[in-house]
Every structure is written in C-alpha cells, then in structure tokens.
Amino acid sequence: MSIRELREKFEQERAEKQEQGILLTFEGVEGYDVYNTSVPFMYEGKEYIFGRVERRNEWATSTVCLFSKKAEDVWERVKDTMMYQLEDPFVVRINGELVLGGTRVDFSRGKLSGFCGVFYKGTNLFNLYYFTTGPQQMKDIRYVQLPDGKLGVFSRPRGEEIRKKYGSEAVIGFTVLNSINELDADVVERATAIEGVFGRDEWGGCYQCLLLENGKIGVIGHGCYNEFDGTINQLVYTNIAFVFDPETFQVSDLKMIGTRKSYPTGEGKKPNLADCAFTSGIVKRDDGRYDLYSGVGDTAEGRVIIENPFPAKIKE
C-alpha cells in the first residue's frame, strides 16, 4: 500500500481512534518559530528538548537551541547554552554518551551550496563537542546501539541515480559498525539500501530507531509525496512507523501513525508546507501509551498520544 493510500485510510479512521493533538509552547525565543525538535530526554533529573529556531519569513538560517521543561507542553530556552548552526535536531545515547545530530546547510557566496549531517557527542549536555560529518547532500542519518554493542546506522541516499534504480526520490539504507568511532561519510555512503518502504515518486527517512524485544528494530520516520491541489504542488509529509529486521533486511508492519490533521490547525511557513507533519519521534508515557512528537508546517511542534506502533514491545 502506498504512502498516499495509508494516509487516506488513516484519516478515515483517525476520528474514532486518535485523540486530537496539541502544539508545544516555547518561551525565551520571542519572534521566532520553534519546530522539528528532538524528542524530550532526561539529563541529571531534568527534562530537555532541542528545537530548531528560525524566523517565520526566513529560510535556511536555523539554529538549534536547548530548552528545559517548565510545565506540561511548555518549554523555556536554557540561557547561556550553545546555539548550533543546524536544522532538525535529534538526540540518542550511545555507550553512555549523548549524541546530538542535525542538518547543516552550507552556502557559498551567499547561495545555497549543499547540506550534510553533522554530529556532536559527550557526557556533558552543556559541553558537547563536534565529532563527525556525514555525506554531502544527505539528511536524516540515524543510529541505534544494537544488543551486541555494535552500532546500527540508517542512511538516506537520494538523487537521480536513486530515482532511476528504485523509482523513489530517496530511500533508507542500513549498515552496522563496530562502534560509533567508525562513523564517517564514507561508511554511511556505503550503507545498503532497504527496499520496499517507499513506492514510485515517494520518499522519506528514518528519525528514530528503537530496539524491540523480538530483536528487530522499530523505526519512526516520515513518508512523503507530492500532491497538486489545483493551485499548489503540496509537499505531503506524514508520520510513519515500520519494523526492520537487520538480519534479513526485510521491512514489515509499515503503518501511518500521524498526519497534519492529527495536530491543531496553523499557518505553514510556505503555502506548499500546509500539509507537512515532520516526524520527531515517540516517548513512552506513564500510562503505557506513547507521545508522538512532530513538526507541523515548518512553524510549530505538535504532540499527539498514540499506542505502541509496533507488534512487539519496545525494549527499555
């Protein structure tokens, strides 16, 4: 079933099965939007989140800032902390270290010249250091520590060669490293493509990888396609989940877990982003369900409650 078909089926059933989401509030950055955040995470007894910060009428000028939880769905800027020249941050823990990643947009003589993934790590949240950079023209590199201590790395190759070979604008790749110290652009570039996730003219990426109790990997990501609404070619971004078996390279249980309609209405950064739900990831709640976080319209960050999207339990 295509991403478009999954979306249509999901939205037909959503009113009966999914609670209406909310939008997060961010303080200390007045005049700026905060969106496409990391998922919330704990550090020394406090809850934090990294967010992409940018003025509404600007593009590719983002910084990533750290926020601490002030109240339910209210976050405030942590003063005197690093501002990273990145977009779309994520945070994972690998071997006891915090790893922060995001997309760096490069310019040459004032014009966009490319982009790549950039990664920082360390044991002190307030003093993370630059670690490595991914391949040029590749976003959405994510990783997960495997049960044997090795590192599973998901890539996202894209371009005309990918389109010719797979029919999709971008696909997801996977490789295994002995440790995070082996992570660089070359090994990510050589990751093997995972087939069967996206159909013709669809694309997407992996945003959060979670070990499941059955030994497989649960992936939270986004699935996308273009849709012409009569006047504008809309970029449709949706929240998806699927299961990946690193032994067989098989994908199963691909499903839609959220769309733009899952969150409150609001203005998009551009007219063609009105139907954009840019996945951040999920966090387990005290009641056993999960909070799904997602950027919406490149202007805000939303949260909606969902059930475990995978057939197996997520390993804690």
Side-chain angles (χ1 to χ4, degrees):
M1 190 176 292
S2 69
I3 297 298
R4 184 192 300 269
E5 291 169 331
L6 286 173
R7 183 258 181 96
E8 291 172 352
K9 183 175 184 293
F10 174 84
E11 291 191 341
Q12 288 172 358
E13 300 172 348
R14 182 181 65 88
E16 300 176 3
K17 296 184 177 180
Q18 191 178 61
E19 298 180 22
Q20 180 61 40
I22 58 88
L23 297 181
L24 307 187
T25 297
F26 293 90
E27 299 180 351
V29 285
E30 287 70 23
Y32 291 79
D33 293 325
V34 181
Y35 61 102
N36 296 5
T37 71
S38 71
V39 294
F41 61 95
M42 298 298 296
Y43 177 76
E44 295 187 345
K46 291 189 67 175
E47 198 167 359
Y48 295 92
I49 196 170
F50 279 105
R52 176 177 174 176
V53 181
E54 192 171 48
R55 290 187 187 276
R56 180 69 57 89
N57 61 352
E58 295 180 355
W59 179 79
T61 61
S62 300
T63 57
V64 164
C65 299
L66 183 65
F67 298 82
S68 62
K69 188 172 184 178
K70 181 178 181 180
E72 186 70 14
D73 299 318
V74 179
W75 301 83
E76 61 180 349
R77 170 89 165 91
V78 181
K79 296 180 180 179
D80 301 321
T81 53
M82 179 74 171
M83 297 173 64
Y84 300 87
Q85 293 288 330
L86 297 174
E87 299 178 351
D88 310 335
F90 73 96
V91 176
V92 294
R93 281 186 170 86
I94 304 292
N95 289 329
E97 288 189 302
L98 288 165
V99 181
L100 166 67
T103 300
R104 186 188 72 205
V105 177
D106 296 324
F107 287 82
S108 176
R109 299 181 181 180
K111 295 183 179 181
L112 179 68
S113 60
F115 53 84
C116 59
V118 175
F119 309 97
Y120 297 77
K121 70 185 183 79
T123 56
N124 184 344
L125 174 62
F126 310 110
N127 189 29
L128 301 176
Y129 59 91
Y130 167 74
F131 175 59
T132 193
T133 299
Q136 288 295 313
Q137 310 302 109
M138 185 184 293
K139 300 181 180 182
D140 309 336
I141 301 164
R142 298 293 187 271
Y143 24 85
V144 60
Q145 190 154 28
L146 302 174
D148 61 3
K150 294 184 178 181
L151 190 74
V153 180
F154 290 87
S155 68
R156 188 193 167 200
R158 64 180 300 172
E160 281 306 309
E161 290 301 315
I162 293 296
R163 185 189 294 278
K164 290 177 183 177
K165 186 172 183 178
Y166 300 103
S168 305
E169 182 178 318
V171 296
I172 296 172
F174 182 76
T175 190
V176 176
L177 309 181
N178 290 316
S179 78
I180 194 171
N181 295 324
E182 296 180 354
L183 184 67
D184 64 14
D186 290 338
V187 297
V188 175
E189 195 81 70
R190 294 195 299 268
T192 303
I194 304 168
E195 300 189 39
V197 183
F198 306 115
R200 179 164 295 279
D201 296 326
E202 297 177 345
W203 72 95
C206 168
Y207 275 82
Q208 185 184 36
C209 348
L210 302 159
L211 287 180
L212 305 180
E213 290 189 351
N214 62 6
K216 299 179 182 180
I217 300 173
V219 175
I220 304 293
H222 71 263
C224 314
Y225 61 92
N226 288 303
E227 183 170 70
F228 185 66
D229 66 3
T231 57
I232 296 172
N233 190 28
Q234 288 287 343
L235 293 173
V236 180
Y237 277 67
T238 65
N239 310 138
I240 64 170
F242 63 87
V243 175
F244 174 67
D245 188 331
E247 298 294 329
T248 66
F249 260 67
Q250 295 300 303
V251 169
S252 61
D253 299 285
L254 175 63
K255 66 176 64 174
M256 190 72 50
I257 57 175
T259 68
R260 180 62 186 88
K261 290 182 180 179
S262 300
Y263 309 95
T265 58
E267 185 179 351
K269 191 177 186 74
K270 298 179 180 180
N272 67 338
L273 294 173
D275 204 354
C276 176
F278 190 91
T279 313
S280 297
I282 61 174
V283 177
K284 191 172 185 180
R285 298 166 50 86
D286 292 340
D287 62 11
R289 295 182 295 172
Y290 288 81
D291 285 321
L292 166 63
Y293 289 85
S294 176
V296 289
D298 276 12
T299 59
E301 183 75 14
R303 177 181 67 83
V304 66
I305 301 172
I306 65 170
E307 301 294 332
N308 177 8
F310 306 114
K313 289 184 178 180
I314 298 171
K315 196 170 182 179
E316 298 182 12

